[in-house]
Amino acid sequence: MDTAKLLGGQRGRVHTGGSLIRDRPEYIRGALDVVAWALHATFIGLAYRKGPDKVDTDVLLLVVMSAITIFFHFVYFFGIVTLSGIVTLSGEVRKKSQIGTKTYPDIFTFGLNQRNTLKWFEYSITATLGTLSLAYTSSGHNEASGPVLFFLAAVAVTEQTTGYLWDSIDSFENMNSSDLRKWPAYRAYFTTFLCQAAEFVVLFSIVHTHETPDDPSSQLLIPGSWWAYTITWSLFGLWAGLRPIYLDRLDTRVQVSEIGYSILSTTAKISLFGTILQEKGIIE
């Protein structure tokens, strides 16, 4: 596979004459949206396969998470289709190369040429619901109190505001050294990593148990849902951290970044949904 041709770049690093991501990013994004619809709809159906009476609070939160995710992916899909030149809002045919440029400076491009900042609003809802779902799971020995749930929700929303701040910077690579947004963005990024680490610890304290529940010296049992959550939720921060290191050097930095977030979003939510349904015996 010609990775350079797929990604595109600048300064002779990974740039070639053509790139699917550069030339037709709507094909990839649209396909990812369709995959998200199918997977989330499938898992909503699986959640109810044994009847609504088997749907506890944690699973219900996941169902709501997936339903909202489907809605937003419909918005992304039809927004991308509209702006890609396949269909237009005003009936005027717009070339993709003009989208998000001085010709049409105010067009929100859903990640085609400008960063899809709407995803952070989506994540502030759906990722928070995923966090609370894990906190409500019945596999642990500690019941999450109101203040703990508030802390988890607050941290989850704060993480998305950092993502929004990160996306407000078009390119770290081309950023002027005197740009006042640079260091606040870095501080917010690393502070969010600390908050997320605290979130993982709090969730661990809720969901872990022991082979003999009343014997702390017995074998420690950590549910797979915690591992699925911790690993996949961490990947968002790592992906964002690649921007100043590598991604912003690409000509296709916006498109590659948005495709990555779309893949991570579906992977993280479905992984958590699937492991919780498996632990509850709803799927095998």
Side-chain angles (χ1 to χ4, degrees):
M1 175 184 290
D2 188 349
T3 305
K5 188 173 182 179
L6 177 64
L7 292 177
Q10 65 181 17
R11 298 182 180 177
R13 298 193 179 192
V14 288
H15 173 74
T16 62
S19 165
L20 177 62
I21 294 177
R22 181 190 303 108
D23 299 333
R24 305 302 305 195
E26 64 270 22
Y27 289 175
I28 302 174
R29 289 289 307 286
L32 291 172
D33 288 331
V34 172
V35 169
W37 299 345
L39 287 174
H40 283 286
T42 298
F43 275 81
I44 289 174
L46 289 173
Y48 284 93
R49 66 188 294 262
K50 291 189 177 182
D53 57 312
K54 298 294 183 181
V55 177
D56 296 326
T57 301
D58 51 352
V59 176
L60 181 59
L61 288 170
L62 291 171
V63 167
V64 176
M65 174 195 77
S66 285
I68 294 174
T69 299
I70 290 172
F71 168 78
F72 274 96
H73 277 281
F74 266 108
V75 173
Y76 303 151
F77 180 84
F78 287 106
I80 288 170
V81 167
T82 298
L83 295 174
S84 66
I86 300 172
V87 183
T88 62
L89 293 173
S90 63
E92 178 184 5
V93 177
R94 298 169 179 169
K95 296 180 180 178
K96 188 183 72 65
S97 60
Q98 295 177 313
I99 297 173
T101 65
K102 291 182 180 179
T103 307
Y104 301 104
D106 299 323
I107 297 176
F108 184 67
T109 72
F110 295 96
L112 287 181
N113 292 65
Q114 298 171 355
R115 300 189 187 278
N116 179 21
T117 52
L118 182 60
K119 67 180 179 291
W120 299 113
F121 177 64
E122 177 214 335
Y123 296 166
S124 70
I125 303 171
T126 57
T128 301
L129 289 171
T131 302
L132 295 177
S133 172
L134 183 58
Y136 269 105
T137 189
S138 58
S139 61
H141 65 282
N142 292 322
E143 182 178 352
S145 63
V148 170
L149 293 174
F150 177 81
F151 166 79
L152 291 171
V155 168
V157 173
T158 300
E159 289 166 4
Q160 312 318 316
T161 60
T162 298
Y164 181 86
L165 172 62
W166 206 245
D167 268 6
S168 69
I169 298 173
D170 179 62
S171 172
F172 284 90
E173 180 74 6
N174 301 324
M175 202 173 189
N176 191 300
S177 59
S178 61
D179 195 318
L180 298 178
R181 298 173 299 168
K182 183 175 183 179
W183 293 114
Y186 279 121
R187 285 195 297 270
Y189 179 81
F190 288 110
T191 300
T192 300
F193 248 113
L194 293 175
C195 290
Q196 190 173 56
E199 169 193 315
F200 295 155
V201 171
V202 170
L203 286 169
F204 173 83
S205 71
I206 296 170
V207 303
H208 85 279
T209 186
H210 292 83
E211 189 172 22
T212 303
D214 296 327
D215 183 8
S217 64
S218 62
Q219 183 180 355
L220 180 66
L221 301 176
I222 306 173
S225 52
W226 182 86
W227 288 110
Y229 177 90
T230 301
I231 293 171
T232 57
W233 258 245
S234 297
L235 291 176
F236 284 87
L238 295 175
W239 183 246
L242 285 178
R243 278 196 55 196
I245 298 173
Y246 174 70
L247 293 179
D248 280 1
R249 299 176 185 177
L250 303 174
D251 289 343
T252 53
R253 58 183 176 269
V254 172
Q255 295 86 352
V256 171
S257 178
E258 294 300 330
I259 288 169
Y261 277 120
S262 184
I263 293 172
L264 287 175
S265 173
T266 301
T267 301
K269 294 168 187 173
I270 294 301
S271 296
L272 179 64
F273 208 154
T275 51
I276 288 181
L277 290 184
Q278 186 178 40
E279 289 167 357
K280 298 179 77 67
I282 296 175
I283 61 174
E284 298 178 358

